[in-house]
């Protein structure tokens, strides 16, 4: 169904080269990122208070990679997550006339398409806690738990130069964000399994009938082209990815969106909260970085972000950070940390927008504009 090797080859061939650095500079960047990753763990742990004193978190690897390394790692992750769904689709196609030939051709087409997508993203990701890395990879440093921290060195150098900020401060600031994600998944034992379960539920709701998928895709493209019947409700606020989903998938996506908003917003809150103590220029970095997020990189880039749903990713940072800040302001850090108690204490999509509702539900505190539930 997907030629994974072709996806990697396509992405690595198309991805833009990184900033020019000498060999000595590259080695220095890698060494500094590794140091910052280690020190960030202490800062994040002290600020978040997610783990009691004296408790040791599970060890997870830290890999400093180039753009091709990021592509390879993510293809391995996709292969792990999508395996069950693609297996079912392949079994269904195998029984159809000409299924083997269609599968071989379709796998190459999908591999090229995935590679093109990854080549677009590979120059934009600064770091990533890879939650679902498979246990056996060609890249070094895999962990039995499947989690590891990736830092994309050329992208970090590119952005720090573009923003004209202190390289030392910016690298530490990025590490604080990614280390928060690592702390979330290592300090909350049930979080990985919960997230994986939601993703598998989402994938399991995929319509296995190609004709139905194509019909939704046709309707979605008409929506983007402005060809909706007169009087029909518009979908301008939704991405192409959202428009081709089934109703069941949209329900799951609402829960996933709330969780991802929490995780991303919490990471932003922590990186800025720790910042004043260890990153002297944190205010300047945040201001310039927010401006960069908002501006995009031209019309084509903006269009691709819209189609792929990356604008929603940016909203997750903003809305999630507001949620965390509001809850901490009402009930303190320890009160906020009740969010990690179980899946039932995670905020809903509505509660992300209305933090007082979460406080009322979890802490039993009523507030203006919210209902006791």
């Amino acid at each position: 169904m997907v030629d994974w090797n072709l996806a990697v080859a396509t992405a690595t061939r198309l991805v833009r080269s990184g900033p020019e650095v000498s060999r000595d500079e590259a080695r220095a960047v890698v060494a500094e990122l590794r140091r910052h990753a280690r020190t960030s763990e202490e800062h994040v742990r002290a600020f978040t208070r997610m783990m009691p004193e004296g408790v040791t978190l599970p060890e997870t690897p830290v890999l400093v990679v180039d753009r091709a390394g990021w592509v390879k790692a993510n293809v391995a992750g996709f292969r792990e997550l999508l395996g069950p769904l693609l297996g079912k689709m392949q079994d269904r196609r195998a029984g159809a006339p000409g299924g083997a030939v269609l599968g071989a051709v379709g796998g190459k087409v999908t591999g090229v398409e995935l590679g093109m997508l990854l080549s677009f993203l590979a120059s934009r990701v600064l770091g990533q806690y890879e939650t679902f890395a498979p246990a056996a990879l060609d890249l070094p440093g895999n962990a039995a738990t499947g989690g590891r921290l990736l830092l994309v060195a050329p992208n970090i150098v590119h952005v720090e130069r573009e923003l004209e900020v202190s390289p030392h401060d910016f690298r530490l600031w990025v590490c604080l964000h990614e280390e928060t994600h690592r702390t979330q998944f290592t300090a909350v034992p049930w979080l990985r399994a919960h997230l994986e379960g939601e993703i598998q539920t989402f994938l399991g709701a995929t319509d296995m009938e190609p004709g139905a998928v194509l019909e939704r895709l046709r309707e979605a493209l008409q929506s983007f082209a402005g060809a909706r019947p007169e009087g029909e409700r518009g979908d301008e606020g939704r991405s192409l990815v959202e428009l081709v989903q089934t109703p069941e998938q949209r329900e799951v996506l609402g829960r996933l969106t709330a969780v991802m908003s929490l995780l991303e917003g919490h990471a932003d809150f922590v990186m800025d909260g720790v910042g004043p103590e260890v990153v002297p220029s944190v205010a300047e970095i945040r201001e310039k970085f927010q401006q960069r997020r908002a501006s995009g990189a031209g019309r084509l880039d903006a269009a691709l972000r819209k189609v792929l749903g990356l604008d929603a990713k940016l909203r997750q940072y903003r809305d999630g950070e507001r949620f965390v800040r509001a809850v901490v302001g009402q009930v303190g850090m320890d009160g906020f940390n009740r969010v990690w108690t179980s899946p039932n204490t995670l905020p809903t999509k509505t509660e992300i927008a209305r933090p007082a509702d979460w406080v009322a539900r979890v802490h039993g505190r009523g507030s203006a504009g919210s209902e006791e539930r």
Side-chain angles (χ1 to χ4, degrees):
M1 297 297 293
V2 181
D3 189 329
W4 299 105
N5 292 332
L6 183 57
V8 172
T10 301
T12 53
R13 185 174 68 253
L14 295 178
V15 71
R16 294 180 294 179
S17 59
E20 293 186 8
V21 295
S22 68
R23 181 171 297 182
D24 288 342
E25 287 175 319
R27 288 173 177 166
V29 170
V30 171
E32 184 171 24
L33 287 172
R34 291 187 184 280
R35 289 197 303 272
H36 286 332
R38 287 194 298 269
T39 59
S40 293
E41 183 176 359
E42 300 175 8
H43 297 313
V44 169
R45 180 168 179 157
F47 183 82
T48 63
R49 302 204 291 271
M50 291 179 66
M51 289 290 288
E53 290 293 329
V55 175
T56 302
L57 291 174
E59 287 291 330
T60 55
V62 177
L63 299 181
V64 182
V65 298
D66 59 10
R67 291 170 177 175
W70 180 86
V71 167
K72 191 173 185 180
N74 277 267
V75 165
F78 287 150
R79 195 169 188 170
E80 184 87 350
L81 271 180
L82 296 176
L85 172 65
L86 295 181
K88 288 191 294 184
M89 294 180 72
Q90 187 163 332
D91 290 342
R92 180 165 182 169
R93 176 177 285 180
V101 175
L102 289 173
V105 174
K108 292 190 179 300
V109 171
T110 308
V112 170
E113 291 172 340
L114 177 59
M116 293 173 66
L117 169 62
L118 289 171
S119 71
F120 172 76
L121 296 174
S123 61
R124 287 158 174 76
V125 177
L126 301 182
Q128 169 185 353
Y129 182 73
E130 196 185 9
T131 314
F132 305 112
L137 289 173
D138 293 335
L139 288 172
N142 63 298
T145 60
R148 58 184 185 173
L149 185 62
L150 301 180
L151 298 168
V152 190
N155 295 349
I156 294 173
V157 172
H158 171 76
V159 174
E160 70 191 26
R161 290 179 178 178
E162 183 182 270
L163 298 182
E164 297 181 339
V165 294
S166 163
H168 172 82
D169 286 3
F170 184 74
R171 294 166 193 174
L172 177 54
W173 189 68
V174 170
C175 287
L176 289 169
H177 181 101
E178 303 308 331
E179 178 57 41
T180 302
H181 286 318
R182 180 162 67 160
T183 299
Q184 290 163 349
F185 282 95
T186 52
V188 184
W190 53 265
L191 184 58
R192 181 180 186 272
H194 172 73
L195 191 59
E196 183 174 16
E198 291 283 56
I199 292 173
Q200 291 302 333
T201 300
F202 178 87
L203 295 175
T206 299
D207 196 324
M208 304 294 288
E209 175 55 49
V213 176
L214 289 174
E215 178 63 21
R216 287 199 304 275
L217 180 60
R218 182 187 65 80
E219 294 173 355
L221 291 173
Q222 287 181 346
S223 174
F224 272 94
R228 295 179 306 276
E230 186 176 354
E232 186 174 311
R233 183 175 178 271
D235 288 305
E236 293 86 348
R238 290 157 61 188
S239 72
L240 182 61
V241 174
E242 292 173 301
L243 288 169
V244 298
Q245 292 162 2
T246 65
E248 293 82 4
Q249 285 178 313
R250 288 174 191 152
E251 182 178 342
V252 179
L253 184 65
R255 299 195 298 268
L256 279 170
T257 297
V259 175
M260 296 310 299
S261 296
L262 170 68
L263 299 180
E264 296 293 0
H266 183 236
D268 265 13
F269 177 78
V270 172
M271 72 194 296
D272 288 345
V274 173
E277 297 293 327
V278 297
V279 183
S281 59
V282 63
E284 177 192 3
I285 291 173
R286 168 55 72 188
E287 180 180 1
K288 290 184 175 180
F289 196 75
Q290 291 289 66
Q291 290 173 354
R292 183 179 185 274
R293 274 181 179 174
S295 65
R299 294 178 63 184
L300 177 60
D301 186 83
L304 285 170
R305 293 167 73 93
K306 172 64 179 174
V307 169
L308 297 174
L310 299 181
D311 285 345
K313 174 77 168 177
L314 298 182
R315 289 195 297 272
Q316 287 174 3
Y317 288 103
R318 181 194 64 207
D319 297 344
E321 195 274 342
R322 288 175 180 170
F323 170 83
V324 176
R325 186 173 300 279
V327 172
V328 172
Q330 291 183 61
V331 296
M333 184 65 76
D334 292 333
F336 165 79
N337 281 339
R338 288 184 62 177
V339 78
W340 312 116
T341 303
S342 75
N344 292 330
T345 56
L346 291 172
T348 64
K349 190 175 179 180
T350 299
E351 289 170 340
I352 287 290
R354 301 177 60 181
D357 285 8
W358 181 88
V359 173
R361 177 170 67 87
V362 175
H363 288 268
R365 298 187 184 182
S367 59
S370 66
E371 297 177 358
E372 294 288 344
R373 291 186 287 173

